[in-house]
Amino acid sequence: MKRTGRAGAAELRPVEPEPGMLVHTSADRRLATEHWLLSTHPKPKRALARAQWAEHGVALLPLGTLFSAVRIPGHLIIALTATMEAAQIDAFLENALNGGPVVCDPHGPRYYALVPASMPTTWRQAVDDWRTQDVDCLGRGTYLGIPRLDAVEPRTAGSYWSVPMPSLAMLCAPLSVARLIAASVHQLAEAAEPDSACRAELRLMDGRASSAVGVRRSHR
């Protein structure tokens, strides 16, 4: 229900949860997501990962069990966004991947889209093709530095969440990641076409000039 304040503005009354309604606060979701991420480790190692978060802000977690990661080099993202501003790139990735979680390693930079654990095998052919662009799909046998869930701002000292994980087990859709990579590769190819055409024209002109020199020499 609405009520009118002293200045005449409409205000909303606080809504009390109905009996039996389960309310999840952001703190609850964060705690549940932390537990889910840490469960990639066997129980004896989870305390170590928590200590890494506390001391370094990043914990090494094994891939290929609950989730895998697609590594996308920064130049592919920059090709689509035409910017190097971290905030603009983060907003673009959130929209392009429908809010799926992405970790940014500023050294590079490199972006890691967190995807279902099965992607390295179910998308094997695409993954093989992507390697020519320095894209890789990391699964079993690989560890990734996962930042603390509150590390959501760009920083130079370590990785952060370019797109935060909205809730436990919420991952990027493989098709969305594939489309992003395909669009980046296409954009780079289009950008390279004028340069390729110029080089071809220069080679043709050089060839003509060499031929003309050869003709002049033959008439001497």
Side-chain angles (χ1 to χ4, degrees), residues 36 62-72 97 100-103 111-123 127 130 136-139 144 146 161 165 169-178 180-181:
W36 185 78
L63 301 177
T65 53
L66 296 182
F67 60 90
S68 293
V70 177
R71 184 189 66 212
I72 307 172
L97 299 176
V102 180
V103 171
Y111 293 86
Y112 295 85
L114 304 191
V115 296
S118 61
M119 188 169 177
T121 53
T122 56
W123 288 72
V127 170
W130 292 341
D136 205 355
C137 193
L138 309 174
L144 180 64
I146 299 295
W161 290 96
M165 178 171 275
M170 295 291 289
L171 300 169
C172 296
L175 185 57
S176 297
V177 176
L180 175 68
I181 295 168

Side-chain angles (χ1 to χ4, degrees), residues 18 20 47-48 56 78 80-81 88 90 92-94 117 125 128 142 153 173 175 184-185 192 205-206:
E18 296 178 2
L48 174 61
H56 307 292
I78 292 169
L80 286 177
T81 60
Q88 294 181 37
D90 295 346
F92 168 81
L93 288 173
E94 183 174 16
Q125 183 59 56
D128 290 342
T142 309
E153 296 294 335
L175 185 57
S184 301
V185 172
M205 291 171 64
D206 288 342

Side-chain angles (χ1 to χ4, degrees), residues 25-102:
T25 66
S26 58
D28 291 335
R29 288 194 299 271
R30 175 180 166 182
L31 185 60
T33 303
E34 284 182 353
H35 282 308
W36 185 78
L37 289 170
L38 290 173
S39 66
T40 57
H41 274 304
K43 283 187 178 181
K45 292 186 176 181
R46 293 175 192 175
L48 174 61
R50 283 194 181 279
Q52 290 175 339
W53 268 339
E55 184 175 355
H56 307 292
V58 176
L60 285 176
L61 300 184
L63 301 177
T65 53
L66 296 182
F67 60 90
S68 293
V70 177
R71 184 189 66 212
I72 307 172
H75 73 269
L76 288 183
I77 306 301
I78 292 169
L80 286 177
T81 60
T83 182
M84 297 183 68
E85 290 292 331
Q88 294 181 37
I89 290 175
D90 295 346
F92 168 81
L93 288 173
E94 183 174 16
N95 181 63
L97 299 176
N98 301 309
V102 180

